Structures are given as structure tokens and as C-alpha cells.
Amino acid sequence: MTVTKQDLTRHLLDTVGLTAKDCAAVANAVFDTLRATLAAGENVKLSGFGNFTLHEKRARPGRNPKTKEPVEISARRVVTFQASQLVKERCEEARILPPFGKARALAGD
């Protein structure tokens, strides 16, 4: 399941009791702050959730997979996410769903 910004806004609407416009503003403010902080070159740490860390990648040789021509992959900054221990533990506790579709057919159910 994918959670969208609209899903977060609806959840805030149901749990906090603010207006839909205010909930959307809160969600947008959180993401705008995350983007601005990362764009400024700082890491973001959300206690109990995880860390967004910036890494500088140097330029390196690569290859165009279609034409097999060598190309240089330019230097860039990338964002990585490291989940907190709490998030990792909750993911491990998650119930494993029974197989469906092709996996179910292969399992013989």
C-alpha cells in the first residue's frame, strides 16, 4: 500500500479535527520544511522514524545500456533514508499475508 500526501491529510482530518484546508497546510508545511532543509545541505532526523542523509557522489565512468557507449555519470548529491530501530521492529512484527495470484497457484492453495 502506498500512502500519499492526500492520505496523510485525510488522516489528520479524522484524528486531529482541523479543517481539510488546515490539514493540507500542515502536511505541505512538513514536506516543504524537509525539502528546504535537505536543499540547504543539512540532514533530517525524525525521532522514532528515521534519518534522511545527504551523500555527495563523485563523477564516474558509466555505459549507455542501449548503445554500449561509454559516458561519464556526473557528480551529484543524493538523499538516502535509514529507518529507525522502532520502524524496523514494527516492520518485522507485521503480519505476513498469504500468497495470492501466481504465488498462490504455485503454492498449491
Side-chain angles (χ1 to χ4, degrees):
M1 176 179 145
T2 301
V3 178
T4 63
K5 196 186 310 185
Q6 186 176 20
D7 293 333
L8 293 173
T9 302
R10 286 183 184 145
H11 181 73
L12 284 172
L13 183 64
D14 294 340
T15 57
V16 179
L18 296 172
T19 65
K21 198 176 212 180
D22 290 341
C23 292
V26 168
N28 285 328
V30 169
F31 289 112
D32 289 344
T33 303
L34 290 173
R35 279 190 286 270
T37 303
L38 291 167
E42 299 178 44
N43 296 331
V44 176
K45 296 183 180 201
L46 300 174
S47 181
F49 185 69
N51 300 325
F52 293 91
T53 309
L54 288 167
H55 293 282
E56 298 288 335
K57 291 188 139 191
R58 59 183 173 78
R60 59 190 167 87
R63 186 173 303 276
N64 181 333
K66 199 171 194 177
T67 64
K68 308 292 186 208
E69 284 184 40
V71 253
E72 182 176 328
I73 300 170
S74 61
R76 62 193 183 279
R77 187 187 304 178
V78 296
V79 178
T80 60
F81 175 74
Q82 177 72 40
S84 72
Q85 191 61 38
L86 179 63
V87 170
K88 290 177 183 179
E89 288 170 2
R90 292 226 178 138
C91 289
E92 288 297 320
E93 293 170 3
R95 188 181 88 166
I96 297 174
L97 298 174
F100 62 95
K102 288 183 179 179
R104 185 176 198 164
L106 294 172
D109 292 340

